[in-house]
Amino acid sequence: LPALIQDYPGLRYRFGGEQAERSDSLQSLFFNFIIALFAIYVLLAVPFKSYTQPLVVMSAIPFGIIGAVWGHLIMGLDLALLSVFGIVALSGVVVNDSLVLLTFYNQLRNEDMPRAEALVEAGAQRFRPILLTSLTTFFGLLPMILEKSVQAQFLIPMAVSLGFGILFATFIILLGVPVAMKMLEDVQEFFGRLGEEETAEGDVAVAPATGS
């Protein structure tokens, strides 16, 4: 097509049929995906009563997408439209592990456990539930992933996105979420101390001078 346009400057082209329908579907899916992410954030922010902790929970979503892509490479599959459907569905599932971990961490913090100890304890206590939840989901999807019948071929990319995305994100969550939470609270503590110092300096500046 570029060569034809170069030879015929007035030439115009557009994609139609299945290609046009696929493009429209992807645009609609991307828009709905943004809405879904916003809904997930709101649903997490309400129980956590925090604007930042939901972002830590949702940080698992990019790792799930990476796992979905690697799953297609391992299985020798091309990314298809149903692969994208699986990635969108994966975004709502992969946050569950982070949610389980952070909920228990907040519970320990409410019991006045020190931050570092609470992170270690939450990771240790929730390691088995998180791992078992992800493994059972993956092995539940495995028969569909390995299915050879013609009828199941169009569903396999979606199953691969879900299965491998969850499996990959789980191991990242167990290490990455505690680290991200530690970094977040360190930043909040730093800005908190900075605000206290500025307030203290302001109080000194406006203090009335005493006569001799």
Side-chain angles (χ1 to χ4, degrees), residues 27-204:
Q27 290 178 3
S28 175
L29 190 63
F30 178 76
F31 178 73
N32 292 329
F33 182 49
I34 299 300
I35 295 176
L37 291 178
F38 178 75
I40 292 172
Y41 177 83
V42 172
L43 290 173
L44 292 173
V46 172
F48 279 141
K49 298 179 181 179
S50 170
Y51 294 111
T52 53
Q53 284 195 5
L55 298 177
V56 176
V57 173
M58 295 175 68
S59 65
I61 294 177
F63 296 110
I65 296 174
I66 294 172
V69 174
W70 274 105
H72 281 75
L73 292 175
I74 293 172
M75 299 301 298
L77 298 172
D78 295 327
L79 283 170
L81 184 59
L82 281 175
S83 304
V84 182
F85 288 162
I87 289 174
V88 173
L90 173 69
S91 301
V93 177
V94 78
V95 298
N96 292 340
D97 292 339
S98 300
L99 183 61
V100 169
L101 185 61
L102 277 186
T103 299
F104 191 70
Y105 166 75
N106 288 333
Q107 179 182 338
L108 294 176
R109 289 289 289 157
N110 291 334
E111 296 173 358
D112 296 328
M113 181 177 287
R115 181 175 57 192
E117 294 181 15
L119 285 171
V120 174
E121 185 67 16
Q125 292 293 329
R126 289 296 176 261
F127 175 81
R128 183 181 297 176
I130 290 174
L131 188 62
L132 289 178
T133 299
S134 299
L135 288 178
T136 52
T137 303
F138 175 77
F139 285 111
L141 292 166
L142 193 59
M144 186 183 299
I145 294 173
L146 300 178
E147 181 60 46
K148 299 299 182 182
S149 65
V150 177
Q151 293 85 348
Q153 293 305 306
F154 77 101
L155 286 175
I156 290 177
M158 184 169 61
V160 169
S161 293
L162 280 169
F164 283 91
I166 292 172
L167 194 64
F168 182 80
T170 296
F171 296 100
I172 299 298
I173 287 169
L174 290 171
L175 296 175
V177 169
V179 172
M181 196 64 207
K182 179 69 165 58
M183 293 173 61
L184 174 64
E185 293 195 344
D186 285 344
V187 170
Q188 291 175 337
E189 184 178 346
F190 170 77
F191 283 106
R193 289 199 305 265
L194 191 64
E196 291 176 358
E197 291 176 359
E198 291 179 352
T199 302
E201 291 176 358
D203 293 339
V204 171

